[in-house]
Amino acid sequence: MGISNLFVAGGIVMWPLLAFSIIAIALIIERIAFWARINRRQGRVVRDVLNLYRKDNVVGAIDKLKQNADLPMARIFLAALELEQPNPEEFRLALESEAQAEIPQLKRFNTIFDTIISLSPLLGLLGTVLGLINSFASLNLGDLGGTQTVGVTSGISEALVSTASGLVVAIFTLFFANTFRGLYQRQAALIQEYGGQMELLYRRRYEQQERTYAPTR
């Protein structure tokens, strides 16, 4: 069955299902590119920045972060490192605040994915119901053994195309949506891990400076 035949068989609900599938594919491609960039570069950048900071090369660490400001962890670290002589508590709050600000970007399009996953099967079911109504409306009860019965059977079969199409769109979108949720949860754990490492390094550096400049009695 060709694409045009599928649309004829599925009825009017095939058009919103087509729109849902196009939107889903476009957003999935954007999310794949987003997560591929993060997974490919972020771990290496964070390790380099932490090593530079351990060696007291704060300027080098900040420059490295600015060169990779398109990464969530780079923006989180920059928000704290660019503060003017913060105490450890202020440094921690800056890390946490920027981490919270990054969450909408990491969870972007989740609501749209959920909407497509929920509505696609319902639209498919609606198409089936409409197809069945049309099929039985054309049935002549006085000709149950004639050609109209064959037409009703064919109509029922064709009406199921909309349900199958809705399920395909929902299943396809659900697979990628769950994958992106897993990537988000992993990223949230890494933000806590990397943020804790940076906070610990800053606390040690801050306490060392406090001891160095403390007045002697």
Side-chain angles (χ1 to χ4, degrees):
M1 183 179 290
I3 298 297
S4 59
N5 292 333
L6 278 175
F7 271 81
V8 172
I12 193 172
V13 299
M14 295 297 290
W15 291 105
L17 287 176
L18 175 63
F20 280 176
S21 62
I22 293 174
I23 293 171
I25 290 172
L27 299 186
I28 286 169
I29 291 173
E30 192 279 339
R31 289 287 85 185
I32 289 175
F34 173 80
W35 286 112
R37 182 178 71 248
I38 291 177
N39 292 333
R40 184 176 65 250
R41 293 169 44 207
Q42 184 165 268
R44 182 180 69 255
V45 170
V46 169
R47 287 191 297 269
D48 292 344
V49 169
L50 292 175
N51 287 333
L52 288 170
Y53 198 82
R54 287 190 187 96
K55 298 175 182 177
D56 289 332
N57 188 357
V58 181
V59 175
I62 292 177
D63 288 342
K64 183 75 172 180
L65 291 171
K66 288 181 177 179
Q67 293 170 6
N68 297 275
D70 59 329
L71 300 175
M73 282 309 309
R75 293 190 291 268
I76 292 171
F77 283 176
L78 276 173
L81 292 177
E82 289 184 333
L83 291 177
E84 189 68 26
Q85 296 181 341
N87 58 44
E89 183 63 20
E90 292 171 339
F91 190 86
R92 181 183 64 81
L93 288 175
L95 288 175
E96 292 180 353
S97 298
E98 187 60 28
Q100 288 297 316
E102 290 294 328
I103 289 178
Q105 179 68 16
L106 298 175
K107 299 176 70 174
R108 193 179 182 188
F109 304 135
N110 277 10
T111 302
I112 299 177
F113 287 139
D114 290 340
T115 301
I116 292 174
I117 292 167
S118 300
L119 288 183
S120 294
L122 294 178
L123 283 172
L125 181 60
L126 175 62
T128 298
V129 172
L130 293 177
L132 292 176
I133 291 174
N134 292 332
S135 296
F136 283 108
S138 64
L139 178 62
N140 186 347
L141 295 179
D143 189 22
L144 291 178
T147 57
Q148 291 188 17
T149 306
V150 177
V152 171
T153 304
S154 176
I156 293 173
S157 176
E158 291 177 352
L160 294 175
V161 170
S162 59
T163 296
S165 300
L167 289 174
V168 168
V169 174
I171 292 170
F172 176 79
T173 307
L174 178 62
F175 173 79
F176 285 98
N178 283 343
T179 301
F180 297 144
R181 285 192 185 95
L183 291 171
Y184 161 73
Q185 292 172 354
R186 179 174 179 271
Q187 185 65 24
L190 289 175
I191 286 175
Q192 290 186 342
E193 178 185 349
Y194 293 146
Q197 293 179 18
M198 177 58 77
E199 181 185 355
L200 180 60
L201 290 175
Y202 182 81
R203 284 183 179 274
R204 289 176 177 174
R205 190 168 183 271
Y206 182 86
E207 292 172 358
Q208 183 179 3
Q209 290 177 344
E210 287 287 301
R211 289 194 298 268
T212 300
Y213 296 106
T216 57
R217 295 182 179 179

